[in-house]
C-alpha cells in the first residue's frame, strides 16, 4: 500500500465514523419527531374523519414520485373507496424508527373484499453490510375478474408461501410468476402491486447478528483499529437474485415517500385539491350531504 | 352561508390550526437538528479540508434537482476551484431556523476574483400572508470576458442598487435587464445566476408586523373566533411583479435542496463519486500528492 493510499484510508475511516455519528443523530431526530407529532396526528385523524374524500383528494395531488405509480384504474378505486390512511413507526419506542407500517382503509367497493390493507416495512441489516427496508406480501381478496395486478400479486403471495414451506425454486407459482413477468413486463403495473414487495429476505436472527457485527465494526473503526470491510462488496449479486421476482422493485422508496411526504403533507395536498376544484371559498361538504356518487372527479390533475 | 358551508368552514379552521401546530413542531425539530449536528459538521469540515476535490466530487454526484442547473462551464469552474462549501442556519438560536446562508469558497481561477461567495436567504412573511425565502443579489467580480451569466448578474445587482436608492422603474439597468431577459430567455442560464435571486421585497419591519398579525390570527383561530383571511388572496399579482426581473426564479428551492440534501449527504455523494471513478479500493490521494491539474475529470456522470 503506497503512502497516499494509507492517507486515503485514514480519511475514509474518518468519513465512515462521521457517517455513523450522523446516522445516530438522524435516528434520534426521527424518535423526537414521532414523540412531538403523535398527538397532533391523532387530532388530525379526528378532523379528517369528518371530511369525505379527504384521502382521495390528497392522492389526487400526490407528488410525482407517488403519482407516477397510480394508474387511472387505481385512481378510480382510491377515489371511490379510500376512507383512511395511516402511517406508524411501529417499532418505536425501542426499535428502529425507520420501520414503517402503512395502513389503507377502504369502504365497500367492486374490486376487492378487504376493508383494511396494511403493509409493514422493517428496517433490517444483513451480514453483507446491506441495510434497508424489507417487507412481506399482503394478500388482496380480489372480486371475480377484478384483479388489478392481473394475477401477479396472487402469484407473489403463493411464492412467498412456498418459500416459507421450503419448497425450493421449481414451484408452479415461481414458474408462472417468472413467465408472466417476462412476457408482460412491469410497465404500467397497478399501484396495488406495491403490496407484493418483499425485498431482501432477512430473518430477525440474521438482523440481530448483523447489527451486533456492525456495532463491533463501528467501535473498532472509532478506536482506529483495522476493520475488514471486504464482505460489503458481496451483496450486489444477492440483490439481483432477490429483485428478479419483485413485481414492484421500488416499493421501499414509495413507502418512504408516503411516510415522509404524503402523510405529513396531507392537509397541504388536500387544501391544494380544494383550490384546484375551484372551491377556494371553502365549500366542501360535510359527511351528511355527500355520498360516494357525488365525490369530486379527478378532473384537473394532469398525469405525469 | 348554507349549512354545509358552515360545517366546511369549521373543518377548514381546524385543519389550519393543525397546520400551525405542525409548523411549530417542524421548527422545533430544525432547532434540535442544528444543535445535534453542529459539532459533527465542524468535525466533518476538518476531515474534508484534507481531501482534495471533495466538494467538486460531491457536485459531480449532486441529485437531479441541483444538477439540472449546473451547466458544463459551471461544472468546470466548480471542479477546478471549489475548495469549500458550508451551510448555516444563521438566525439560530433565536431567529427562524429556516433562514439559511450558503457559502462557497474558491481557489484562484480564471473566471472571477472572489475567493468567497456567500448567499443568504431569510425566511420572511409579508402582510398578504405569504411566507418564504427572500435574498439579496451577490456581486461576482468577473474577470474580463469571463462573465458566465453574460451580464445578467451585474444588471440584477445594479437594479438592486437603483432600487435601494429609490430610482424608480425606468433606470437604464432595468431596461437593459428586461430586454436581455426577453431576447435570450433563461434557458441554460449559468448556475452562478443563482446569486442574483431576490424574491419578494420584505423589510424587517414589514416582516415583524406580519409575524405579529399572523400570531394574532392563529390565536383567534385557536379560540374559535372569526378570522379574516381575505387578504391572503391578494399576493399573487405582487409575486408576478417580483418574478418578472428574477434571473433564477427557483433559487429558493435550489437553496433548500443544497441545505437539506447536498450538505447533509455530502459524504455519501463523495463516496459514490469515488466508486464511479473506479477507485472503490480507497485510492484517492492526499493533498500533498495532488494538484489541480490532476483533479479527476467529470467523466462518468450523465447530465440530466
Amino acid at each position: 500500500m503506497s503512502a497516499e493510499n494509507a492517507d486515503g484510508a485514514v480519511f475514509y475511516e474518518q468519513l465512515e465514523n462521521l457517517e455513523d455519528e450522523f446516522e445516530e443523530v438522524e435516528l434520534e431526530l426521527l424518535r423526537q419527531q414521532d414523540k412531538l407529532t403523535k398527538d397532533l396526528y391523532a387530532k388530525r385523524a379526528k378532523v379528517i374523519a369528518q371530511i369525505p374524500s379527504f384521502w382521495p383528494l390528497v392522492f389526487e395531488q400526490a407528488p410525482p414520485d407517488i403519482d407516477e405509480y397510480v394508474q387511472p384504474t387505481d385512481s378510480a378505486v382510491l377515489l371511490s373507496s379510500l376512507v383512511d390512511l395511516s402511517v406508524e413507526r411501529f417499532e418505536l419506542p425501542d426499535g428502529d424508527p425507520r420501520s414503517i407500517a402503512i395502513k389503507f382503509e377502504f369502504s365497500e367497493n367492486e374490486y376487492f373484499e378487504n376493508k383494511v390493507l396494511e403493509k409493514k416495512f422493517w428496517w433490517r441489516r444483513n451480514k453483507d453490510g446491506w441495510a434497508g427496508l424489507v417487507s412481506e406480501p399482503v394478500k388482496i381478496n380480489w372480486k371475480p375478474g377484478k384483479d388489478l395486478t392481473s394475477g401477479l400479486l396472487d402469484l407473489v403471495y403463493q411464492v412467498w408461501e412456498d418459500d416459507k414451506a421450503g419448497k425450493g425454486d421449481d414451484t408452479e407459482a415461481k414458474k408462472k410468476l417468472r413467465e408472466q413477468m417476462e412476457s408482460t413486463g412491469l410497465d404500467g403495473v397497478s399501484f396495488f402491486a406495491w403490496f407484493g414487495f418483499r425485498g431482501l429476505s432477512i430473518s430477525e436472527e440474521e438482523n440481530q447478528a448483523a447489527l451486533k457485527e456492525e456495532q463491533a465494526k463501528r467501535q473498532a473503526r472509532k478506536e482506529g483499529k483495522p476493520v475488514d470491510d471486504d464482505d460489503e462488496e458481496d451483496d450486489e449479486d444477492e440483490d439481483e437474485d432477490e429483485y428478479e421476482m419483485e413485481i414492484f422493485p421500488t416499493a421501499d422508496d414509495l413507502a418512504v415517500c408516503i411516510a415522509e411526504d404524503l402523510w405529513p403533507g396531507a392537509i397541504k395536498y388536500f387544501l391544494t385539491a380544494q383550490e384546484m376544484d375551484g372551491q377556494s371559498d371553502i365549500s366542501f361538504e360535510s359527511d351528511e350531504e355527500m355520498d360516494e356518487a357525488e365525490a369530486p372527479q379527478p378532473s384537473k390533475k394532469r398525469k405525469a
Side-chain angles (χ1 to χ4, degrees), chain A:
Chain A
M1 197 183 249
S2 66
E4 63 261 39
N5 279 355
D7 275 4
V10 169
F11 297 147
Y12 180 82
E13 302 273 298
Q14 289 174 338
L15 291 178
E16 292 276 340
N17 282 342
L18 281 165
E19 284 291 77
D20 295 346
E21 291 186 67
F22 275 112
E23 188 183 349
E24 284 307 317
V25 171
E26 188 203 322
L27 295 184
E28 176 56 25
L29 285 167
L30 279 176
R31 278 183 218 111
Q32 298 258 8
Q33 183 185 52
D34 195 72
K35 215 185 287 178
L36 291 172
T37 55
K38 224 171 182 61
D39 292 349
L40 276 177
Y41 280 122
K43 236 160 114 177
R44 188 181 78 171
K46 276 188 196 161
V47 177
I48 288 175
Q50 298 172 282
I51 303 174
S53 296
F54 180 91
W55 286 109
L57 285 168
V58 169
F59 266 90
E60 203 184 304
Q61 293 300 320
D65 287 349
I66 295 173
D67 189 54
E68 64 176 310
Y69 297 112
V70 182
Q71 309 302 330
T73 328
D74 302 328
S75 211
V77 179
L78 295 173
L79 190 66
S80 68
S81 51
L82 178 64
V83 293
D84 204 3
L85 177 79
S86 58
V87 172
E88 200 191 349
R89 298 192 180 271
F90 66 93
E91 291 200 312
L92 287 178
D94 301 318
D96 199 302
R98 288 166 294 196
S99 296
I100 41 183
I102 302 177
K103 189 160 82 178
F104 292 78
E105 291 180 51
F106 296 92
S107 58
E108 183 69 36
N109 66 73
E110 55 176 309
Y111 292 90
F112 44 77
E113 305 286 351
N114 314 60
K115 289 286 149 55
V116 173
L117 291 174
E118 181 176 37
K119 188 150 179 77
K120 283 181 159 183
F121 293 84
W122 289 264
W123 185 273
R124 289 295 178 259
R125 179 176 283 281
N126 76 6
K127 58 179 169 30
D128 299 318
W130 181 92
L133 292 171
V134 304
S135 188
E136 291 176 354
V138 172
K139 188 155 179 57
I140 298 183
N141 299 316
W142 304 105
K143 292 188 178 174
K146 292 295 191 178
D147 184 342
L148 293 168
T149 69
S150 310
L152 282 176
L153 186 59
D154 282 350
L155 284 171
V156 163
Y157 195 81
Q158 188 56 53
V159 166
W160 186 63
E161 298 261 282
D162 291 349
D163 282 349
K164 281 197 296 183
K167 287 198 181 160
D169 258 359
D170 280 331
T171 67
E172 193 64 20
K174 272 191 195 175
K175 262 184 275 180
K176 271 196 189 162
L177 179 55
R178 200 171 284 126
E179 272 169 29
Q180 195 170 334
M181 285 172 71
E182 275 166 16
S183 66
T184 62
L186 295 171
D187 280 354
V189 74
S190 163
F191 171 80
F192 289 92
W194 175 78
F195 287 99
F197 177 80
R198 293 172 54 168
L200 294 193
S201 173
I202 302 174
S203 70
E204 184 48 29
E205 293 72 43
E206 192 186 348
N207 177 56
Q208 288 301 336
L211 277 178
K212 233 172 126 178
E213 195 187 324
E214 176 68 15
Q215 286 306 333
K217 208 182 265 179
R218 290 187 180 191
Q219 193 55 40
R221 199 158 50 211
K222 230 175 176 166
E223 295 167 5
K225 292 180 191 157
V227 175
D228 174 24
D229 267 336
D230 283 352
D231 55 359
E232 294 200 9
E233 310 292 326
D234 301 342
D235 62 331
E236 282 175 39
D237 295 335
E238 287 180 40
D239 277 0
E240 284 171 38
D241 284 351
E242 232 20 77
Y243 277 89
E244 188 193 337
M245 307 288 279
E246 207 72 87
I247 60 172
F248 203 116
T250 54
D252 46 353
D253 294 336
L254 178 53
V256 170
C257 198
I258 291 174
E260 296 187 352
D261 186 338
L262 198 77
W263 170 247
I267 293 179
K268 179 188 76 189
Y269 290 122
F270 170 74
L271 294 174
T272 306
Q274 288 291 317
E275 273 175 41
M276 299 287 281
D277 284 354
Q279 295 175 314
S280 54
D281 54 338
I282 316 156
S283 67
F284 55 88
E285 298 160 82
S286 67
D287 231 322
E288 292 73 27
E289 280 83 15
M290 197 178 204
D291 62 31
E292 276 169 34
E294 285 175 304
Q297 295 304 306
S299 50
K300 296 199 188 75
K301 188 179 156 206
R302 258 167 280 159
K303 283 272 160 196

